[in-house]
Every structure is written in structure tokens, then in C-alpha cells.
Amino acid sequence: VQLVESGGGLVQPGGSLRLSCAASGFTFSSYGMSWYRQAPGKERELVAAISSAGVSTNYADSVKGRFTISRRNAKNTVYLQMNSLKPEDTAVYYCHAAGVRISQDYWGQGTQVTVSS
């Protein structure tokens, strides 16, 4: 099983980034997918989640209206479009996959997002 994030980097406040997470080694279309983030000295927090078929989504209050999670099951990829970025969005962003069983719980290695002028 692999989850490989990409798309992180340095961006100015107000800018945009799109994160991608490419999945392999499991039946992607059967898993709910999420993005988490962890800032230095803080706990990891849920940013956004999307159901297996992409029908339902939910977001942390801090990113509602600015971030959009989406997925393309044909490409085994989940995305996080981040607009109007703020310095407080600076964190390592992790991709997460959750299946129906407790053992079906996978994490990516993370990608750094830094919002700074």
C-alpha cells in the first residue's frame, strides 16, 4: 500500500496550491479519503474528507469556503485545492485512507505547505 502526496511548497498569503495523493496497493474506490495537517507543536487535525464515491464531503471550520477536496477514482487520486491561503495554514499535509475494517487505515508520508511572504 502506498499513498504519495505531492504539490506542497512555499506560497504567499492569498495564494493557491493543489495537493495530490496518488494511491496504490488497495481498492481505492472502496475507501474514504481524507487530508490531515500537523503544524509544529500542534496535534494532527482533520482538514477535509470525502466519501468513497465522492458523494459527500466535510471540512474543518477553519478551511470551509477556501479548500475543496475531490477525487478521481479512475486515477486512484485524491486532491485538495487550497485557495486564499493564510500563514496559519502552514503545516505538513497528510493523505489518509480508511476502509471498512480497522486494519484498513493508511497514511502518506506528508508534504510541507508553507504560507509566508
Side-chain angles (χ1 to χ4, degrees), residues 66-117:
R66 300 189 298 122
F67 290 11
T68 302
I69 188 170
S70 62
R71 65 189 295 163
R72 291 194 65 181
N73 286 349
K75 289 196 170 187
N76 286 1
T77 303
V78 62
Y79 305 96
L80 185 67
Q81 178 66 44
M82 305 186 295
N83 299 328
S84 302
L85 282 160
K86 305 175 181 180
E88 51 263 43
D89 294 318
T90 295
V92 177
Y93 284 70
Y94 297 91
C95 179
H96 177 253
V100 295
R101 300 175 182 172
I102 294 176
S103 60
Q104 295 172 326
D105 188 276
Y106 310 123
W107 290 92
Q109 82 288 350
T111 185
Q112 176 71 46
V113 171
T114 302
V115 185
S116 175
S117 54

Side-chain angles (χ1 to χ4, degrees), residues 18-80:
R18 188 174 86 151
L19 305 183
S20 299
C21 172
S24 61
F26 63 99
T27 307
F28 180 76
S29 59
S30 296
Y31 282 65
M33 298 298 297
S34 304
W35 287 94
Y36 285 74
R37 68 186 181 188
Q38 187 167 20
K42 295 188 176 181
E43 294 190 353
R44 192 172 296 190
E45 62 173 354
L46 176 66
V47 176
I50 187 166
S51 62
S52 57
V55 173
S56 63
T57 58
N58 64 78
Y59 297 90
D61 288 343
S62 58
V63 307
K64 280 181 182 175
R66 300 189 298 122
F67 290 11
T68 302
I69 188 170
S70 62
R71 65 189 295 163
R72 291 194 65 181
N73 286 349
K75 289 196 170 187
N76 286 1
T77 303
V78 62
Y79 305 96
L80 185 67

